[in-house]
Amino acid sequence: MAEKADPFVILNHNVWGNSSNHPGSEQDCHHHVNLDNQTVADESERIYMDYNATTPVDPDVVRAVTEALTDAWGNPSSNYLPGLKARDAVYHSRDTVARMVGGKASDIIFTSGGTEANNLVFHTAVEHFGKCMNSSGGNANIQKLNRRGSLPHIITSNVEHDSIKITAEYLLKDGKADVTFVPISKVTARVEVEDVIAAIRPTTCLVSVMLANNETGIIMPIKDICQRVKEINKQRAVSTPTIFLHTDAAQAIGKIRVNAQDLGVDYITIVGHKFYGPRIGALFVNDPGTKTPVYPLLFGGGQERNFRPGTENTAMIAGLGKAVFGEDRLNFNSRFPGSDVLPNTCNVSILGRGLEGRRVLSTCRRLLASVGAACHSDRGDQASYILLNCGIPYDVATNALRISVGRSTSREDVEIVVEDLRETVEQLERMN
């Protein structure tokens, strides 16, 4: 069992002590000036540590996309050679992505990205609940729920990605579903299994909890949640709608092993640009349309077995398949098999007046990072709702930086960034 890590680090700037040299600090280089008239390094000297926001596309993936654009440019629904090549590329990627998460090729539905995949799951849960109510037959319990005008009930956490959070809030506000946002533990920053189970109602049709949080790196107890919910499903399978299980694995895939059978989930959201692939997504569905319902958000041709119609984006699909090819590409770091925190993610808060996260990052010469999820960038200097829901005080959350490393990050890079942060804090302290 690996030693557990604390996902939150709160620093007083004095812990760095006196200035010290680091590799590259004496290099001659070209510089430019930012909006605060602070000298920053040339782009070639910047050190990227925002891999949770997006990853660079792997060169092999670029080649796969280029080859597909060149050789497999036909419509996958066509029967002549360019179309057959495109169809083969799509199938190969579907099979590769499926094997990555322990499924079959038929379990994979390609989407435009994680947001669409998440929306598809929530839409399906609401649609399926309604169809169960309308086709209850002689089931007295379902008829009773129907007479009450019961809404489908969805359980999720209060630290989900916006594509879950805002979708759930919309369904709740529009009167299409009841939603319980289970608060995470202020001690562990995890969703507690018992809290999820306690929230279940006769009308609960979906439990959706992310596998790993994008800001804290905390890994959620999805397997334990699924085991408990399945026990409840066995007891109520005939009398009330089935509770389906979904996890958004966008931040987990490529860093820890993700296997649908081990976890026990019905749906898994997959996002290519989080693991060196293109900006395209996929949804794993356990036997879609048979064991697990899928109701389309879009209508058109018969692509993706009518679950997600529209001519397949062959090149991006080929790139997604290449990104996940080979088990060695999937494990960011295998040295933490028992850890409950992603090995690449750290949330740091540097305490002090005038050391807000955005200000620190805009002043850093070398570091490229973020204060949280990239999709929250339009919220100005507001503290992250994820950190606040973790019990982090407002002033600490406002000063937070999310640092996430990737395949090419070296120890030297980390040392340079630490020095960059130390110098930046000292500079801001003098300005204050």
PDB file of all heavy atoms in Angstrom, residues 15-41:
ATOM      1  N   VAL A  15       8.541  29.534   3.708  1.00  0.00           N
ATOM      2  CA  VAL A  15       9.077  28.183   3.792  1.00  0.00           C
ATOM      3  C   VAL A  15      10.169  27.955   2.755  1.00  0.00           C
ATOM      4  O   VAL A  15      10.955  27.019   2.886  1.00  0.00           O
ATOM      5  CB  VAL A  15       7.977  27.116   3.605  1.00  0.00           C
ATOM      6  CG1 VAL A  15       6.927  27.255   4.657  1.00  0.00           C
ATOM      7  CG2 VAL A  15       7.373  27.172   2.214  1.00  0.00           C
ATOM      8  N   TRP A  16      10.226  28.771   1.737  1.00  0.00           N
ATOM      9  CA  TRP A  16      11.259  28.582   0.718  1.00  0.00           C
ATOM     10  C   TRP A  16      12.629  29.107   1.174  1.00  0.00           C
ATOM     11  O   TRP A  16      13.652  28.803   0.565  1.00  0.00           O
ATOM     12  CB  TRP A  16      10.854  29.253  -0.587  1.00  0.00           C
ATOM     13  CG  TRP A  16       9.894  28.438  -1.370  1.00  0.00           C
ATOM     14  CD1 TRP A  16      10.107  27.190  -1.871  1.00  0.00           C
ATOM     15  CD2 TRP A  16       8.579  28.783  -1.736  1.00  0.00           C
ATOM     16  NE1 TRP A  16       8.993  26.745  -2.517  1.00  0.00           N
ATOM     17  CE2 TRP A  16       8.041  27.700  -2.467  1.00  0.00           C
ATOM     18  CE3 TRP A  16       7.784  29.898  -1.525  1.00  0.00           C
ATOM     19  CZ2 TRP A  16       6.757  27.704  -2.971  1.00  0.00           C
ATOM     20  CZ3 TRP A  16       6.503  29.909  -2.034  1.00  0.00           C
ATOM     21  CH2 TRP A  16       6.001  28.819  -2.756  1.00  0.00           C
ATOM     22  N   GLY A  17      12.646  29.944   2.174  1.00  0.00           N
ATOM     23  CA  GLY A  17      13.926  30.447   2.673  1.00  0.00           C
ATOM     24  C   GLY A  17      14.573  31.410   1.694  1.00  0.00           C
ATOM     25  O   GLY A  17      13.897  32.134   0.957  1.00  0.00           O
ATOM     26  N   ASN A  18      15.898  31.427   1.701  1.00  0.00           N
ATOM     27  CA  ASN A  18      16.645  32.354   0.856  1.00  0.00           C
ATOM     28  C   ASN A  18      16.706  31.891  -0.580  1.00  0.00           C
ATOM     29  O   ASN A  18      16.534  30.722  -0.877  1.00  0.00           O
ATOM     30  CB  ASN A  18      18.069  32.518   1.401  1.00  0.00           C
ATOM     31  CG  ASN A  18      18.062  33.143   2.776  1.00  0.00           C
ATOM     32  OD1 ASN A  18      17.221  33.994   3.070  1.00  0.00           O
ATOM     33  ND2 ASN A  18      18.995  32.708   3.626  1.00  0.00           N
ATOM     34  N   SER A  19      17.016  32.835  -1.441  1.00  0.00           N
ATOM     35  CA  SER A  19      17.123  32.528  -2.861  1.00  0.00           C
ATOM     36  C   SER A  19      18.251  31.541  -3.115  1.00  0.00           C
ATOM     37  O   SER A  19      19.298  31.597  -2.485  1.00  0.00           O
ATOM     38  CB  SER A  19      17.386  33.822  -3.647  1.00  0.00           C
ATOM     39  OG  SER A  19      17.594  33.529  -4.995  1.00  0.00           O
ATOM     40  N   SER A  20      18.016  30.633  -4.046  1.00  0.00           N
ATOM     41  CA  SER A  20      19.061  29.678  -4.426  1.00  0.00           C
ATOM     42  C   SER A  20      19.021  29.484  -5.927  1.00  0.00           C
ATOM     43  O   SER A  20      18.000  29.686  -6.557  1.00  0.00           O
ATOM     44  CB  SER A  20      18.837  28.328  -3.718  1.00  0.00           C
ATOM     45  OG  SER A  20      17.595  27.788  -4.078  1.00  0.00           O
ATOM     46  N   ASN A  21      20.146  29.087  -6.472  1.00  0.00           N
ATOM     47  CA  ASN A  21      20.222  28.884  -7.912  1.00  0.00           C
ATOM     48  C   ASN A  21      19.523  27.603  -8.308  1.00  0.00           C
ATOM     49  O   ASN A  21      19.415  26.671  -7.529  1.00  0.00           O
ATOM     50  CB  ASN A  21      21.690  28.823  -8.351  1.00  0.00           C
ATOM     51  CG  ASN A  21      22.374  30.157  -8.174  1.00  0.00           C
ATOM     52  OD1 ASN A  21      21.748  31.193  -8.305  1.00  0.00           O
ATOM     53  ND2 ASN A  21      23.665  30.126  -7.849  1.00  0.00           N
ATOM     54  N   HIS A  22      19.069  27.546  -9.530  1.00  0.00           N
ATOM     55  CA  HIS A  22      18.503  26.327 -10.081  1.00  0.00           C
ATOM     56  C   HIS A  22      18.999  26.175 -11.501  1.00  0.00           C
ATOM     57  O   HIS A  22      19.437  27.147 -12.117  1.00  0.00           O
ATOM     58  CB  HIS A  22      16.967  26.358 -10.051  1.00  0.00           C
ATOM     59  CG  HIS A  22      16.382  27.480 -10.833  1.00  0.00           C
ATOM     60  ND1 HIS A  22      16.310  27.492 -12.202  1.00  0.00           N
ATOM     61  CD2 HIS A  22      15.844  28.668 -10.428  1.00  0.00           C
ATOM     62  CE1 HIS A  22      15.744  28.596 -12.626  1.00  0.00           C
ATOM     63  NE2 HIS A  22      15.445  29.329 -11.575  1.00  0.00           N
ATOM     64  N   PRO A  23      18.935  24.967 -12.032  1.00  0.00           N
ATOM     65  CA  PRO A  23      19.408  24.755 -13.402  1.00  0.00           C
ATOM     66  C   PRO A  23      18.706  25.683 -14.377  1.00  0.00           C
ATOM     67  O   PRO A  23      17.471  25.773 -14.375  1.00  0.00           O
ATOM     68  CB  PRO A  23      19.068  23.285 -13.670  1.00  0.00           C
ATOM     69  CG  PRO A  23      19.037  22.661 -12.311  1.00  0.00           C
ATOM     70  CD  PRO A  23      18.532  23.727 -11.403  1.00  0.00           C
ATOM     71  N   GLY A  24      19.473  26.402 -15.158  1.00  0.00           N
ATOM     72  CA  GLY A  24      18.901  27.253 -16.185  1.00  0.00           C
ATOM     73  C   GLY A  24      18.682  28.684 -15.739  1.00  0.00           C
ATOM     74  O   GLY A  24      18.280  29.531 -16.529  1.00  0.00           O
ATOM     75  N   SER A  25      18.932  28.978 -14.473  1.00  0.00           N
ATOM     76  CA  SER A  25      18.626  30.326 -13.990  1.00  0.00           C
ATOM     77  C   SER A  25      19.556  31.385 -14.571  1.00  0.00           C
ATOM     78  O   SER A  25      19.222  32.557 -14.580  1.00  0.00           O
ATOM     79  CB  SER A  25      18.715  30.360 -12.463  1.00  0.00           C
ATOM     80  OG  SER A  25      20.015  30.048 -12.032  1.00  0.00           O
ATOM     81  N   GLU A  26      20.736  30.989 -15.040  1.00  0.00           N
ATOM     82  CA  GLU A  26      21.690  31.952 -15.572  1.00  0.00           C
ATOM     83  C   GLU A  26      21.678  31.987 -17.101  1.00  0.00           C
ATOM     84  O   GLU A  26      22.537  32.605 -17.716  1.00  0.00           O
ATOM     85  CB  GLU A  26      23.104  31.597 -15.083  1.00  0.00           C
ATOM     86  CG  GLU A  26      23.242  31.533 -13.549  1.00  0.00           C
ATOM     87  CD  GLU A  26      22.943  32.874 -12.905  1.00  0.00           C
ATOM     88  OE1 GLU A  26      23.212  33.914 -13.543  1.00  0.00           O
ATOM     89  OE2 GLU A  26      22.434  32.893 -11.771  1.00  0.00           O
ATOM     90  N   GLN A  27      20.737  31.298 -17.715  1.00  0.00           N
ATOM     91  CA  GLN A  27      20.731  31.230 -19.175  1.00  0.00           C
ATOM     92  C   GLN A  27      20.438  32.595 -19.786  1.00  0.00           C
ATOM     93  O   GLN A  27      19.633  33.365 -19.265  1.00  0.00           O
ATOM     94  CB  GLN A  27      19.661  30.236 -19.653  1.00  0.00           C
ATOM     95  CG  GLN A  27      19.998  28.790 -19.324  1.00  0.00           C
ATOM     96  CD  GLN A  27      18.898  27.890 -19.820  1.00  0.00           C
ATOM     97  OE1 GLN A  27      17.858  28.349 -20.273  1.00  0.00           O
ATOM     98  NE2 GLN A  27      19.127  26.592 -19.732  1.00  0.00           N
ATOM     99  N   ASP A  28      21.122  32.884 -20.883  1.00  0.00           N
ATOM    100  CA  ASP A  28      20.779  34.061 -21.670  1.00  0.00           C
ATOM    101  C   ASP A  28      19.573  33.721 -22.510  1.00  0.00           C
ATOM    102  O   ASP A  28      19.535  32.695 -23.161  1.00  0.00           O
ATOM    103  CB  ASP A  28      21.947  34.453 -22.589  1.00  0.00           C
ATOM    104  CG  ASP A  28      23.143  34.949 -21.804  1.00  0.00           C
ATOM    105  OD1 ASP A  28      22.924  35.549 -20.728  1.00  0.00           O
ATOM    106  OD2 ASP A  28      24.267  34.737 -22.275  1.00  0.00           O
ATOM    107  N   CYS A  29      18.571  34.576 -22.483  1.00  0.00           N
ATOM    108  CA  CYS A  29      17.364  34.285 -23.269  1.00  0.00           C
ATOM    109  C   CYS A  29      16.652  35.582 -23.606  1.00  0.00           C
ATOM    110  O   CYS A  29      16.903  36.627 -23.015  1.00  0.00           O
ATOM    111  CB  CYS A  29      16.432  33.350 -22.495  1.00  0.00           C
ATOM    112  SG  CYS A  29      15.882  34.028 -20.920  1.00  0.00           S
ATOM    113  N   HIS A  30      15.736  35.478 -24.576  1.00  0.00           N
ATOM    114  CA  HIS A  30      14.888  36.607 -24.921  1.00  0.00           C
ATOM    115  C   HIS A  30      13.696  36.620 -23.973  1.00  0.00           C
ATOM    116  O   HIS A  30      13.205  35.590 -23.560  1.00  0.00           O
ATOM    117  CB  HIS A  30      14.398  36.477 -26.361  1.00  0.00           C
ATOM    118  CG  HIS A  30      15.514  36.459 -27.355  1.00  0.00           C
ATOM    119  ND1 HIS A  30      16.261  37.571 -27.659  1.00  0.00           N
ATOM    120  CD2 HIS A  30      16.022  35.446 -28.112  1.00  0.00           C
ATOM    121  CE1 HIS A  30      17.174  37.255 -28.571  1.00  0.00           C
ATOM    122  NE2 HIS A  30      17.051  35.975 -28.853  1.00  0.00           N
ATOM    123  N   HIS A  31      13.252  37.810 -23.608  1.00  0.00           N
ATOM    124  CA  HIS A  31      12.134  37.926 -22.690  1.00  0.00           C
ATOM    125  C   HIS A  31      11.098  38.878 -23.268  1.00  0.00           C
ATOM    126  O   HIS A  31      11.382  39.662 -24.161  1.00  0.00           O
ATOM    127  CB  HIS A  31      12.603  38.463 -21.323  1.00  0.00           C
ATOM    128  CG  HIS A  31      13.590  37.575 -20.646  1.00  0.00           C
ATOM    129  ND1 HIS A  31      14.947  37.643 -20.875  1.00  0.00           N
ATOM    130  CD2 HIS A  31      13.403  36.576 -19.743  1.00  0.00           C
ATOM    131  CE1 HIS A  31      15.572  36.744 -20.139  1.00  0.00           C
ATOM    132  NE2 HIS A  31      14.664  36.077 -19.451  1.00  0.00           N
ATOM    133  N   HIS A  32       9.886  38.808 -22.717  1.00  0.00           N
ATOM    134  CA  HIS A  32       8.882  39.810 -23.046  1.00  0.00           C
ATOM    135  C   HIS A  32       8.229  40.253 -21.745  1.00  0.00           C
ATOM    136  O   HIS A  32       8.474  39.689 -20.688  1.00  0.00           O
ATOM    137  CB  HIS A  32       7.850  39.263 -24.034  1.00  0.00           C
ATOM    138  CG  HIS A  32       7.038  38.125 -23.517  1.00  0.00           C
ATOM    139  ND1 HIS A  32       7.466  36.816 -23.595  1.00  0.00           N
ATOM    140  CD2 HIS A  32       5.827  38.105 -22.915  1.00  0.00           C
ATOM    141  CE1 HIS A  32       6.568  36.021 -23.069  1.00  0.00           C
ATOM    142  NE2 HIS A  32       5.552  36.766 -22.644  1.00  0.00           N
ATOM    143  N   VAL A  33       7.401  41.275 -21.793  1.00  0.00           N
ATOM    144  CA  VAL A  33       6.811  41.854 -20.586  1.00  0.00           C
ATOM    145  C   VAL A  33       5.318  41.595 -20.590  1.00  0.00           C
ATOM    146  O   VAL A  33       4.640  41.756 -21.610  1.00  0.00           O
ATOM    147  CB  VAL A  33       7.093  43.382 -20.546  1.00  0.00           C
ATOM    148  CG1 VAL A  33       6.449  44.002 -19.324  1.00  0.00           C
ATOM    149  CG2 VAL A  33       8.596  43.633 -20.539  1.00  0.00           C
ATOM    150  N   ASN A  34       4.782  41.186 -19.429  1.00  0.00           N
ATOM    151  CA  ASN A  34       3.345  40.926 -19.351  1.00  0.00           C
ATOM    152  C   ASN A  34       2.603  42.196 -19.006  1.00  0.00           C
ATOM    153  O   ASN A  34       3.174  43.278 -18.898  1.00  0.00           O
ATOM    154  CB  ASN A  34       3.053  39.789 -18.356  1.00  0.00           C
ATOM    155  CG  ASN A  34       3.388  40.180 -16.926  1.00  0.00           C
ATOM    156  OD1 ASN A  34       3.660  41.325 -16.613  1.00  0.00           O
ATOM    157  ND2 ASN A  34       3.363  39.181 -16.041  1.00  0.00           N
ATOM    158  N   LEU A  35       1.291  42.086 -18.769  1.00  0.00           N
ATOM    159  CA  LEU A  35       0.453  43.267 -18.554  1.00  0.00           C
ATOM    160  C   LEU A  35       0.810  44.014 -17.273  1.00  0.00           C
ATOM    161  O   LEU A  35       0.505  45.190 -17.131  1.00  0.00           O
ATOM    162  CB  LEU A  35      -1.019  42.854 -18.535  1.00  0.00           C
ATOM    163  CG  LEU A  35      -1.552  42.294 -19.861  1.00  0.00           C
ATOM    164  CD1 LEU A  35      -3.009  41.897 -19.717  1.00  0.00           C
ATOM    165  CD2 LEU A  35      -1.386  43.303 -20.980  1.00  0.00           C
ATOM    166  N   ASP A  36       1.410  43.307 -16.312  1.00  0.00           N
ATOM    167  CA  ASP A  36       1.801  43.960 -15.065  1.00  0.00           C
ATOM    168  C   ASP A  36       3.242  44.478 -15.120  1.00  0.00           C
ATOM    169  O   ASP A  36       3.850  44.782 -14.103  1.00  0.00           O
ATOM    170  CB  ASP A  36       1.683  42.983 -13.890  1.00  0.00           C
ATOM    171  CG  ASP A  36       0.232  42.599 -13.643  1.00  0.00           C
ATOM    172  OD1 ASP A  36      -0.636  43.465 -13.815  1.00  0.00           O
ATOM    173  OD2 ASP A  36      -0.026  41.427 -13.293  1.00  0.00           O
ATOM    174  N   ASN A  37       3.792  44.576 -16.333  1.00  0.00           N
ATOM    175  CA  ASN A  37       5.157  45.044 -16.550  1.00  0.00           C
ATOM    176  C   ASN A  37       6.191  44.178 -15.837  1.00  0.00           C
ATOM    177  O   ASN A  37       7.245  44.649 -15.434  1.00  0.00           O
ATOM    178  CB  ASN A  37       5.304  46.504 -16.093  1.00  0.00           C
ATOM    179  CG  ASN A  37       4.504  47.454 -16.959  1.00  0.00           C
ATOM    180  OD1 ASN A  37       4.453  47.284 -18.178  1.00  0.00           O
ATOM    181  ND2 ASN A  37       3.872  48.445 -16.340  1.00  0.00           N
ATOM    182  N   GLN A  38       5.865  42.894 -15.683  1.00  0.00           N
ATOM    183  CA  GLN A  38       6.824  41.970 -15.098  1.00  0.00           C
ATOM    184  C   GLN A  38       7.520  41.200 -16.229  1.00  0.00           C
ATOM    185  O   GLN A  38       6.882  40.781 -17.184  1.00  0.00           O
ATOM    186  CB  GLN A  38       6.107  40.991 -14.162  1.00  0.00           C
ATOM    187  CG  GLN A  38       5.248  41.662 -13.097  1.00  0.00           C
ATOM    188  CD  GLN A  38       6.059  42.535 -12.171  1.00  0.00           C
ATOM    189  OE1 GLN A  38       7.235  42.262 -11.950  1.00  0.00           O
ATOM    190  NE2 GLN A  38       5.457  43.593 -11.663  1.00  0.00           N
ATOM    191  N   THR A  39       8.813  41.018 -16.086  1.00  0.00           N
ATOM    192  CA  THR A  39       9.567  40.295 -17.099  1.00  0.00           C
ATOM    193  C   THR A  39       9.274  38.809 -17.004  1.00  0.00           C
ATOM    194  O   THR A  39       9.346  38.220 -15.926  1.00  0.00           O
ATOM    195  CB  THR A  39      11.072  40.526 -16.921  1.00  0.00           C
ATOM    196  OG1 THR A  39      11.319  41.916 -16.991  1.00  0.00           O
ATOM    197  CG2 THR A  39      11.856  39.804 -18.008  1.00  0.00           C
ATOM    198  N   VAL A  40       8.929  38.208 -18.107  1.00  0.00           N
ATOM    199  CA  VAL A  40       8.651  36.776 -18.128  1.00  0.00           C
ATOM    200  C   VAL A  40       9.528  36.123 -19.190  1.00  0.00           C
ATOM    201  O   VAL A  40      10.041  36.784 -20.083  1.00  0.00           O
ATOM    202  CB  VAL A  40       7.161  36.483 -18.427  1.00  0.00           C
ATOM    203  CG1 VAL A  40       6.290  37.052 -17.339  1.00  0.00           C
ATOM    204  CG2 VAL A  40       6.739  37.048 -19.774  1.00  0.00           C
ATOM    205  N   ALA A  41       9.686  34.830 -19.067  1.00  0.00           N
ATOM    206  CA  ALA A  41      10.569  34.105 -19.971  1.00  0.00           C
ATOM    207  C   ALA A  41       9.952  33.975 -21.352  1.00  0.00           C
ATOM    208  O   ALA A  41       8.737  34.064 -21.527  1.00  0.00           O
ATOM    209  CB  ALA A  41      10.856  32.718 -19.401  1.00  0.00           C
TER     210      ALA A  41
END
